[in-house]
Amino acid sequence: MKTLLTSNLKQANITQNEDESLEAILPAKLNEVQQFECMLLAADDKNKRLVRVLADQDSCAHLGKFCRGTMRSVMTNHLMSLHSIKGQKAKLPFRETLLYKVIMKAAKKAFGKAHKEHEIMFEMGEVLRNAPNQPGGSNYKKVNKIAFIF
């Protein structure tokens, strides 16, 4: 009887996990960190679900690719361009946000003990460092290319 109950619970958890997606938890990319912080503080269950979905979403062999994909799927480029890891040069410190903790937990879950915390933090810093020069960033300048036809 006990094994029947545990197998039914495991089956229910499997079907529940298959239905979860990033769009179900986060309908749109974040434009402000405060939106995310309020959402996570309201429900601790969402925090765990988001970590699980992010860890399963971009599981790949390269940590840098994982961090780029995860951060770009959750945040807009404008939001990333306003942050740096430590908050230098009049930017907001990303290390102090709940979003940092969620992405860190997702990376640890996806890679296990293969990468240390400072390696994950370095890759997140690289994404934040390059964000202002990407489309949507605060420093992005669109270059008009004119084709000359003779």
Side-chain angles (χ1 to χ4, degrees):
M1 181 74 173
K2 189 175 181 179
T3 57
L4 181 63
L5 285 173
T6 56
S7 65
N8 286 342
L9 286 174
K10 287 180 183 177
Q11 222 171 19
N13 284 338
I14 290 170
T15 56
Q16 184 183 20
N17 290 345
E18 289 173 357
D19 294 339
E20 287 184 349
S21 67
L22 185 61
E23 289 79 25
I25 299 170
L26 253 150
K29 288 184 179 182
L30 297 172
N31 217 7
E32 295 178 5
V33 175
Q34 287 79 15
Q35 294 172 337
F36 184 75
E37 306 254 342
C38 292
M39 182 186 72
L40 280 186
L41 288 175
D44 190 44
D45 182 46
K46 267 192 178 180
N47 185 353
K48 293 176 184 176
R49 285 176 39 209
L50 186 60
V51 168
R52 187 174 351 142
V53 168
L54 290 175
D56 293 341
Q57 180 186 14
D58 284 327
S59 293
C60 60
H62 191 262
L63 179 63
K65 189 174 180 182
F66 175 83
C67 287
R68 272 191 306 279
T70 303
M71 291 177 76
R72 286 184 181 162
S73 66
V74 175
M75 301 165 50
T76 61
N77 226 6
H78 175 69
L79 180 61
M80 286 191 280
S81 68
L82 298 176
H83 287 85
S84 70
I85 286 290
K86 296 180 182 177
Q88 297 171 335
K89 296 184 181 178
K91 292 189 175 188
L92 302 171
F94 186 66
R95 185 191 274 181
E96 297 174 4
T97 63
L98 285 175
L99 188 55
Y100 169 82
K101 293 175 184 172
V102 167
I103 295 172
M104 183 67 74
K105 286 179 185 177
K108 285 181 180 179
K109 186 173 183 176
F111 291 101
K113 295 183 179 181
H115 297 287
K116 295 183 180 177
E117 188 171 334
H118 71 277
E119 294 172 336
I120 300 168
M121 187 176 60
F122 174 78
E123 292 298 337
M124 282 195 274
E126 287 296 306
V127 175
L128 295 173
R129 184 177 66 84
N130 292 313
N133 299 325
Q134 301 296 324
S138 59
N139 201 25
Y140 179 70
K141 294 176 185 158
K142 189 174 181 178
V143 178
N144 293 329
K145 294 183 180 180
I146 302 172
F148 292 103
I149 302 173
F150 292 101

